[in-house]
Amino acid sequence: MPSTATRTLAPDANGIAQAAAILARGGLVALPTETVYGLGADARQGRAVARIFEAKGRPRFNPLIVHVDSAETARRYVAWPAQAEALATAFWPGPLTLVLPLRDDAGLSPLVTAGLDTLAIRVPAHPLARRLLAAFGGPVAAPSANPSGRISPTTAAHVLAGLSGRIEAVLDGGPCPVGVESTIVGLSGTPVLLRPGGLPAEAIEAALGTPLAAPGGDETAPDEAAPTAPGQLASHYAPAATLRLEAHAPRAGEVYLGFGSGACDLNLSDTGDLTEAAANLFGHLHQLDAGGARAIAVAPIPHHGLGRAINDRLARAAAPRG
Ligand code: TXA
Ligand code: MG
């Protein structure tokens, strides 16, 4: 594809105005959200959405999340059952994506949903994402701003490392506070946990008053044949190094990514705090990659709360590459 000079936009009124103008003319802007950086395009412009897939080298069948400024705006695009209202009231803006039936009059590019009759939608909490959505005034389709299959970006530098020359700009909002992608819940039937993420499933179940079904089964053993969300391929979030999980100590030649107290090369959280570990996860993998690590051993991480999302991403990073 033709090379584009990628600009870094400052997190101020001028940067936001420029980012909104780029989106309006069908360009691509990477924007900070509370979870990870997203690669944004106007969800109504087919050519702009197509450029997302081109820039990421992403398979066409993988549908995108649409970002809007409020639950009220979301209702223009999707059917809105009582459970959507309950979860939106409890958790939006925030790291929760709802998959709901797409409205016939939504007016979005069919590329956004990859031809499905449901739409993934969320209201992000990051102040810069919110200001950009307000300035742009339309729906923004945004997958994570990494080349397909690579680690998700949690800083503007990560975005540039993967996509410089392929997108118009990155709005620099510093490190993303949550650090793993949003939790995705399907609400077109029985509530389903499609992807564990930055909002613990336990909190969602408490708000719904019902357990979430888990179509993908055990998140520690992702299965190519039964992806938990379309396009959730087993090998994903991959660093260049191989990963060995649930490792109580490194073997010869491995660098050790720790969790909790104990000797290691880099620690996700030396106090054993899952929120801190989620925020550090992709940044630490990027750092070990940049340092030339060939083999990474990862300490055991508890499987509750945000640990579910962390273990899901680690399992995908460790999966055999296609
Ligand atoms: O935190 C996040 O969710 C970030 C930020 C940028 O918002 N975005 C993100 O997008 O993680 P992406 O494209 O990397 O992951 C979106 C996931 C994919 O696994 C996709 O298959 C799933 O959402 N998805 C999208 N539309 C769907 C639908 N209609 N039904 C089921 N899954 C869907
Ligand atoms: Mg992604």
Side-chain angles (χ1 to χ4, degrees), residues 33 35-38 58 62-65 67 97 99 116 118-120 122 142-144 180-182 184 194-195 229-232:
T33 81
T35 58
V36 301
Y37 277 72
R58 178 178 229 188
N62 200 350
L64 305 175
I65 297 172
H67 299 67
T97 295
V99 174
L116 298 174
T118 54
L119 176 69
R122 83 179 188 98
S144 52
V180 291
E181 297 87 343
S182 61
I184 305 181
L194 294 170
R195 178 177 74 181
Q232 286 268 93

Side-chain angles (χ1 to χ4, degrees), residues 77-128:
Y77 303 109
V78 285
W80 197 251
Q83 287 170 324
E85 181 65 22
L87 293 186
T89 302
F91 302 116
W92 279 358
L96 171 68
T97 295
L98 299 179
V99 174
L100 290 157
L102 178 69
R103 279 175 56 154
D104 292 337
D105 59 353
L108 303 179
S109 161
L111 273 179
V112 170
T113 53
L116 298 174
D117 57 7
T118 54
L119 176 69
I121 194 160
R122 83 179 188 98
V123 178
H126 196 291
L128 283 173

Side-chain angles (χ1 to χ4, degrees), residues 6-20 22 29-32 37 126 128-129 131-132 156 168-174:
T6 302
R7 284 188 292 156
T8 299
L9 302 175
D12 56 20
N14 183 40
I16 286 164
Q18 292 196 52
I22 292 168
V29 179
L31 64 145
Y37 277 72
H126 196 291
L128 283 173
R131 285 172 68 189
L132 177 55
E168 274 73 16
V170 54
L171 182 60
D172 188 353

Side-chain angles (χ1 to χ4, degrees), residues 212-257:
L212 290 166
D218 179 359
E219 78 274 12
T220 63
D223 179 357
E224 284 272 10
T228 53
Q232 286 268 93
L233 303 180
S235 171
H236 203 79
Y237 309 101
T242 61
L243 260 78
R244 186 169 66 84
L245 307 185
E246 309 280 350
H248 291 276
R251 296 178 185 150
E254 289 179 335
V255 295
Y256 191 43
L257 182 59

